[in-house]
Amino acid sequence: MMNIAVLVSGRGSNLQAIIDNIDNGYLRAKVTVVISDVEDAYALDRAKKHGIEAVYIGHGNFAKKELYEEEIITVLEKHNVDLILLAGYMRIVGYTLLSAYRNRILNIHPSLLPSFPGLHAQEQAFRYGVKVAGCTVHFVDETLDSGPVILQRCVEVREEDTAETLAGRILEQEHMIYPEAVKLVVEDRLRIEGRKVRIIN
Ligand code: GRF
């Protein structure tokens, strides 16, 4: 069984989607630890409610990013983690963590990448006036919101939408494609070929 760590900074609704899909049998995996860089992140409470180890590691307590990530790695190793999911984790993953878990870190982003990377992606898309928005699950590499794309889902922008209503419908899709992408990893059905991720049957 694959052991998963989820890295969070906030409310943790994507973490919840992963937990729920493990509980209902869709995903054969285990979340062994949730790590937050924000002490009062609601995601930590969600983890505890499900009996999952919840760990706060404050970036500010370390002199260098390298040391901060080494502490994260210590916790990951203690929990025998095979796969890391970023779920609203608001830091850029550095070389230390990336090189320890190469091609074993996934992220979910609320836009159709490579459009609208960075913060407030849904609002960026809404203001730009796109007719189709969406979300992306991708492997994490050294560039922000880059890395080979695993799954994407479209969300149509409606005339009556606000940035908030659009973000809400994108989030519903996030909660579906993140577990789907994790299932593909768990079942060893992904092959990274350059920028492309091939899904095998
Ligand atoms: C989501 O929109 C995700 O795509 C982005 O940050 C948000 C996290 O939400 N990376 P939550 O903490 O999972 O509820």
Side-chain angles (χ1 to χ4, degrees), residues 6-17 43 46 86-90 107-111 118 121-122 134-136 145 167 170-171 174-175 178:
V6 185
L7 267 56
V8 297
S9 302
R11 76 188 155 180
S13 70
N14 279 288
L15 162 69
Q16 191 68 55
R46 293 186 195 259
L86 308 185
Y89 176 65
M90 299 303 283
N107 182 41
I108 180 133
H109 183 76
S111 77
Q122 310 95 321
C135 47
T136 304
D145 298 327
I170 293 172
L171 190 62
E174 293 182 40
H175 295 162
Y178 215 177

Side-chain angles (χ1 to χ4, degrees), residues 83-123:
L83 177 69
I84 301 173
L85 305 180
L86 308 185
Y89 176 65
M90 299 303 283
R91 296 195 168 274
I92 295 175
V93 176
Y95 179 76
T96 309
L97 187 51
L98 265 177
S99 52
Y101 287 82
R102 177 124 339 248
N103 295 338
R104 291 193 293 156
I105 311 178
L106 269 53
N107 182 41
I108 180 133
H109 183 76
S111 77
L112 295 173
L113 290 170
S115 292
F116 314 117
L119 291 176
H120 311 300
Q122 310 95 321
E123 197 179 328

Side-chain angles (χ1 to χ4, degrees), residues 32-105:
T32 52
V33 63
V34 171
I35 302 175
S36 174
D37 64 324
V38 173
E39 194 165 12
D40 61 355
Y42 183 57
L44 290 174
D45 296 330
R46 293 186 195 259
K48 286 180 210 151
K49 274 185 200 148
H50 289 270
I52 299 167
E53 177 102 6
V55 181
Y56 159 64
I57 304 178
H59 178 261
N61 302 334
F62 299 86
K64 282 197 285 183
K65 182 165 190 154
E66 197 181 319
L67 299 174
Y68 163 69
E69 292 197 336
E70 275 170 12
E71 177 64 19
I72 292 179
I73 292 168
T74 304
V75 173
L76 296 173
E77 286 175 351
K78 184 174 152 212
H79 291 88
N80 298 314
V81 167
D82 307 297
L83 177 69
I84 301 173
L85 305 180
L86 308 185
Y89 176 65
M90 299 303 283
R91 296 195 168 274
I92 295 175
V93 176
Y95 179 76
T96 309
L97 187 51
L98 265 177
S99 52
Y101 287 82
R102 177 124 339 248
N103 295 338
R104 291 193 293 156
I105 311 178

